[in-house]
Amino acid sequence: MSTLTTIHAAFAAKVDAVLSAIEAEGDLPAGIDRRNVTVEPPRDPSHGDLATNAAMVLAKPAATNPRALAEKIVEHLLRDPHITGAEIAGPGFINLRLSDDAWLAELLAIASLAREYGRSGMGAGRRVNVEYVSANPTGPMHMGHCRGAVVGDALASLLEFAGYAVTREYYVNDAGGQVDTLARSAHLRYREALGEDIGDIPEGFYPGDYLVPVGQAAAEEFGERYQGAPEGEWLDIFKAFAVERMMDMIRSDLALLGIHHDLFSSEAALQAAGKPEAAEAWLRQHDLVYDGVLEQPKGKTVEDWEPVELPLFRSTKFGDDQDRPIKKSDGRWTYFGADLAYHLQKAEAADEMIDIWGADHAGTVKRIKAAVAALSEGQGKAIPFDVKLVQMVQLMRAGEPVKMSKRSGNFITIADMVEEVGKDVVRFTMLTRKPEAQMDFDFAKVVEASKDNPVFYVQYAHARIHSTLRRAAVEGIVPSDAAISRMGEAELGLVKQAAQFPRIVEAAATAREPHRIAFYLYDLASAFHSFYNLGNDDTSKRVILAQDAELSAARLFLIAAIGQVIRNGLTLLGVEAVEEM
């Protein structure tokens, strides 16, 4: 990665240097905490290019007046030739105006850094485990999994770009009752493949036709060996057989979206290795698990509720509303109990953990956070742990709810969606709203060629740039920075928008919100289209000027840089930057 510093980082460093100088002069106490000092664009662009809250943040601990401190900061900042104006606003905010040369240097930085532009070292190699999808291995990937899959994958890419060492993990829930049902359903299809008339699929079995090939594969693998055998002889064998084939199907479905995990962790293997027992022993040793009786559930009468002593985790100690059982009355692990051990396993190889869950699991967030807090406390290191909740997606077609897919039995598969509208449309659209907000995915609207369709609008900007570059090449004009100083306010405005990208990357990574990249790309595409369309009313504003090859080359250099930033952003989202539409 290049050591070139982008403009926001450079001017943040300048402000910090000024504060050090004022400290050396004795006007600011030594060692004062500057972590809350920010340097970022003002909300209103008319106020300037950058704004800093340094005087507001430091005045109180420095026991001075914020405006007086602001005046000292401004005095120092105006000595910098790249700062053409520094004004104090209100009680002590400082608005800065930068020279054209400063922005042109940033344009050169975009061109020089190319695909590395926006990359950050803020993560400093910290190990982050991002667990996402983790669907039960009982069928194909469907729309209920799609949004979380895309959000998790984009977040992992974003964190890598921001300097973290990321592990993409999938937790395979292959130890519950649903896997027993899968095995029985696969065995039924196995018998069918051997020529039996199985009739209607019994209630409680998985009815989808996707199990037909599994049954056929089992018939080829086992012949008639288990056709009439008692369940005890084949259940575990068919569980492993069916889960393996379901996971192959899931990997294939996710690959259609460009999603590939680094690690698949098995719940069955976790339990076989005694990890839940080990976690329970550690928690008991630290008085975080005890044997107790849960309170009578609300709405239950004494007749239909029986008090049972269970091992309970002291989750109330960590903010939960009641302590939670880690085992059921029959001795099997609760989902929470197994999940607790799983997170302990993940924490062994991570400095931070992020889970992407469906919003229907919101009720369990508090308890698993409590468990991770307890376990990481016991390991002597605090492990930041975040759970991102993702709302379901309502599928629509021209405003009407979509009927379920016949091919899949009872749901719309990811394969159905990708086949109809393409991977890029699915991925980008899933990131056009905050994950915790409800979303409609309208098959008609997501392929519209209009400004109201973000994925089209952004990809069209990139394609438009490359179309212009190809047309210029035919005319013998190539991008050049030789005359970029001739560019005016409109061009510099576009540079300023592109220069936001590194800051947006860091902010999005800090907030764990990859949708911010999608929002930014739409704004950048909009700024580009507005700039490009200036030539419709004023021919002197066109990118390619027949009478001025030098300025044309400069504008081509500019739009090529804008294309690079769009491409970098789309790469983070896992979306192709198309060159033709």
Side-chain angles (χ1 to χ4, degrees), residues 367-424:
R367 73 191 69 157
I368 195 62
K369 281 194 167 186
V372 171
L375 292 166
S376 62
E377 179 183 289
Q379 290 188 334
K381 64 172 184 176
I383 298 180
F385 174 47
D386 196 8
V387 177
K388 292 292 185 185
L389 296 176
V390 179
Q391 286 286 352
M392 292 287 287
V393 177
Q394 173 67 53
L395 292 178
M396 313 287 286
R397 193 181 298 281
E400 296 295 326
V402 174
K403 293 180 180 179
M404 290 298 136
S405 168
K406 293 178 182 178
R407 178 166 71 84
S408 311
N410 62 347
F411 40 68
I412 301 292
T413 66
I414 285 176
D416 291 332
M417 294 188 66
V418 173
E419 183 180 353
E420 179 163 348
V421 301
K423 168 185 77 75
D424 293 338

Side-chain angles (χ1 to χ4, degrees), residues 439-498:
M439 169 181 278
D440 288 344
F441 184 99
D442 192 308
F443 281 97
K445 290 184 177 179
V446 297
V447 294
E448 280 182 359
S450 76
K451 183 179 181 180
D452 296 329
N453 178 8
V455 61
F456 166 80
Y457 201 55
V458 173
Q459 285 193 316
Y460 177 47
H462 190 266
R464 199 177 198 184
I465 287 167
H466 279 267
S467 172
T468 305
L469 292 170
R470 288 192 298 271
R471 186 156 45 88
V474 171
E475 297 180 24
I477 307 173
V478 296
S480 169
D481 62 357
I484 56 174
S485 60
R486 289 185 56 195
M487 296 194 302
E489 185 178 337
E491 289 90 344
L492 289 175
L494 200 51
V495 174
K496 292 176 184 181
Q497 185 71 28

